[in-house]
Amino acid sequence: MSKVVAAVLLFLIGLFLIVGGYTSYKTLFVTGISLIIAGILIIILAIKMTMKGETKTPTK
């Protein structure tokens, strides 16, 4: 359960970075692009974390 919570938090952080990058894109071009790219990479990391957790089979 904690991996799912961590993935959701990373996804939200990525969304906030994308929104922040889009709002600063008009004034500071390089900063906006950097924040958007960082947000996309964090969302990809969150998706990989959830997929990695689902592929493991429980062993008893």
Side-chain angles (χ1 to χ4, degrees):
M1 185 69 176
S2 64
K3 284 189 177 186
V4 174
V5 173
V8 169
L9 288 176
L10 280 176
F11 188 79
L12 289 175
I13 290 170
L15 284 177
F16 286 134
L17 283 173
I18 289 175
V19 170
Y22 181 73
T23 56
S24 69
Y25 175 75
K26 301 196 184 223
T27 56
L28 300 168
F29 181 75
V30 175
T31 305
I33 293 295
S34 299
L35 287 174
I36 290 172
I37 291 172
I40 291 170
L41 290 175
I42 288 180
I43 288 175
I44 291 171
L45 176 70
I47 291 171
K48 286 183 83 171
M49 279 181 59
T50 57
M51 292 299 151
K52 184 179 176 183
E54 289 178 2
T55 57
K56 288 185 178 179
T57 56
T59 56
K60 292 184 179 181

